[in-house]
Amino acid sequence: MKKGMDKYPKKRKRKSSKIVKSLPIISILLIIASTIIVSTLFKEDFKKIENEISRVLNPNLKFIEDVSVYAKQNYQEYGILPSITIAQAILESDFGRSALSKEYNNYFGIKSINKDEKRVTFSTKEYVNNNQIEIKDAFKVFDSMEDSVKYHGLLIGTAKIYQKVVEAKDYVEAANMLYECGYATDPAYAQKLIEIIEQYKLYEYD
């Protein structure tokens, strides 16, 4: 027997039990890490799905999103605030539920002054000396929502009478200028637009 050696060698302590005990913690950490990675990678997809569900469940939001696509294009081309365009479409067409918008794609109550163009006659309410009256008038017919919004942009963006609307610094001023420039006869028209913009946070599109 070698000097300095015990008669019976000491048994080594087992570390396997400690490893086994730590496995559940490691597993939990891995799951958390995986969840974070997956949620980061697919965050945009989840957001798209969530937005699509909101659009289906709330037709008003879908209408706003549909109009906003073309309203942004009008802003790029003419400088008309998207919030104003969207609010007018909501007010004039009742979120696309009016007969004029559903059947004839006229989302802004745009009148027809050319007898040779596609037009339709509807009853409409106007204000004369602050008194509401009902008359029959001719309205333009459009092939699609896109055509309607684009024409609205052309009208507001190029007609000299609406120049102050385009030059407005914010949606409040633009709404008031629309009424002052004669787009509508309802004395509460500007305030109605402002309330719609603020209710649905349409200023976020500006």
Side-chain angles (χ1 to χ4, degrees), residues 53-114:
I53 291 172
S54 296
R55 280 162 56 88
V56 172
L57 295 178
N58 192 335
N60 289 355
L61 293 181
K62 182 181 184 304
F63 180 82
I64 289 171
E65 286 297 318
D66 290 343
V67 176
S68 72
V69 174
Y70 311 116
K72 290 175 184 176
Q73 292 175 6
N74 282 354
Y75 175 71
Q76 294 295 326
E77 191 165 354
Y78 304 107
I80 306 164
L81 294 174
S83 61
I84 285 292
T85 302
I86 301 168
Q88 279 196 279
I90 291 172
L91 181 59
E92 298 283 355
S93 75
D94 187 23
F95 287 98
R97 289 188 278 264
S98 70
L100 185 61
S101 59
K102 277 199 305 184
E103 298 173 29
Y104 302 101
N105 291 304
N106 189 330
Y107 292 87
F108 299 92
I110 296 174
K111 306 285 179 62
S112 171
I113 57 174
N114 184 354

Side-chain angles (χ1 to χ4, degrees), residues 6-22:
D6 294 332
K7 187 177 181 182
Y8 299 102
K10 293 180 179 179
K11 293 182 179 180
R12 293 181 181 178
K13 292 181 180 179
R14 294 184 179 179
K15 295 182 180 180
S16 59
S17 59
K18 290 185 179 180
I19 296 173
V20 171
K21 287 180 181 178
S22 63

Side-chain angles (χ1 to χ4, degrees), residues 118-140:
K118 289 190 291 185
R119 61 194 329 218
V120 62
T121 301
F122 264 91
S123 293
T124 181
K125 293 176 182 178
E126 301 289 348
Y127 286 81
V128 178
N129 297 324
N130 290 328
N131 294 316
Q132 190 182 74
I133 61 172
E134 188 169 308
I135 63 171
K136 286 188 180 293
D137 213 336
F139 293 86
K140 290 179 70 69

